[in-house]
Structures are given as C-alpha cells and as structure tokens.
C-alpha cells in the first residue's frame, strides 16, 4: 500500500511538472533516488520502489529524516509515508517541518489496532522485531488496553502535527486509499489559490 501511495504522489508531481524523488528507509537509509522531472524518471523510480526489498527490518524515522534533511539543500514538499510505529523521532520531525513542507501520510491497519471480535487465542508477531505474543481476543480488558494504547498514540501524533503546523493525511489499510489523498490535494489546491 505504501508503494502504491508513493506512486500516486509521484504521478501527481509529474502532472504538475514537479521534480520527484524517493528516500526509502528502515533502521537506516536503504534507497535514494534524487529528485528529477520527467515521465521516464517517475516510471523508473516506481519500478525501483516496487522491486525494493529491505535489508533491515526496524524503523528509525528520526535519524533518517535528519539524513534526508542534510541531503536536500532546497526546500521541497516531503511526503512521509509511514505507520509511524516508532518513538523518539519528534525532534527530527520538527526540524524537517521547519525546513520543508512536510506532509505525514499515516497508514493505519485496523488489524494492528483492534483485536478481532472472536473468543480465541491469537498468536501475534511483530514484523520488525519478530517478537511473538499470545493474546486472548475475547478479553474485554485486552481489547480495551489495545484500543487505549492506539488512541493515545494517535493523540500524540496529532499533537505533534499540530505543534509543527503540518497537515496530515490519514489512510486506513481496509479502505480505498486514493480518496483521502485526493481530498488532501483538493483542499490544499483551494487554499493556495
């Protein structure tokens, strides 16, 4: 889904005759395609993105944003596409929002934030750490704790975005993703006219 969102953003930039680049990271930078114009550049970039296989599993938004900030000398629009399941990146995020027009695109998967309504044991695995846990999905307490953790994290992110003066795009993995992005572009277009 993240790759498709990036492709949609790249085609939007192409339509505006803007330069577009790509910076993919995990625990560190993994793939960098410098910003350029042109259809062949965008198509090559999308091909590279779709073929990309990460060398590492973790996430380090803060150090990677700082790296990108040092690499990009000119102000630009940065779309940060992530599930934001990381901590300690707030200072780097704030620095990036001062230097660039930063647009966080928050992908949320309901399967990660809500236990299914079943009375069964579920084995879960963190895709980044490999850590496994077994949870009784029928437990109202477990369901409430998970919902509260996700709500607290959402509030924390929204507070960060407000404090930096950035407008974010919320994407749910179980819904069509183009609609929120199109709505964002339309709202933004009206505001800049």
């Amino acid at each position: 889904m993240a790759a498709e969102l990036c492709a949609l953003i790249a085609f939007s930039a192409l339509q505006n005759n803007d330069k577009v680049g790509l910076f993919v990271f995990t625990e560190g930078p993994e793939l960098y395609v410098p910003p350029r114009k042109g259809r062949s550049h965008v198509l090559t970039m999308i091909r590279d993105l779709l073929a990309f296989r990460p060398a590492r599993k973790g996430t380090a938004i803060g150090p990677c944003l700082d790296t990108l900030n040092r690499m990009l000398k000119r102000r630009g629009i940065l779309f940060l596409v992530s599930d934001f399941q990381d901590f300690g990146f707030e200072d780097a995020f704030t620095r990036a929002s001062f230097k660039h027009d930063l647009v966080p695109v928050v992908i949320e998967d309901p399967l990660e934030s809500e236990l299914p309504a079943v009375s069964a044991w579920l084995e879960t695995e963190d895709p980044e750490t490999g850590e496994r846990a077994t949870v009784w999905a029928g437990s109202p307490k477990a369901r409430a704790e998970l919902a509260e953790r996700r709500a607290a994290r959402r509030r924390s992110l929204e507070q960060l975005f407000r404090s930096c003066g950035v407008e974010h795009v919320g994407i749910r993995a179980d819904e069509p993703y183009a609609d929120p992005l199109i709505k964002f572009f339309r709202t933004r277009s009206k505001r800049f006219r």
Side-chain angles (χ1 to χ4, degrees), residues 23 25-29 60-69:
F23 183 77
F25 63 90
T26 53
E27 295 169 3
I61 294 173
C64 293
L65 266 179
D66 283 338
T67 298
L68 187 59
N69 252 347

Side-chain angles (χ1 to χ4, degrees), residues 76-92:
I77 301 172
L78 296 183
F79 285 87
L80 178 57
V81 179
S82 174
D83 62 3
F84 288 86
Q85 296 298 310
D86 190 19
F87 295 92
F89 63 86
E90 293 80 7
D91 290 343

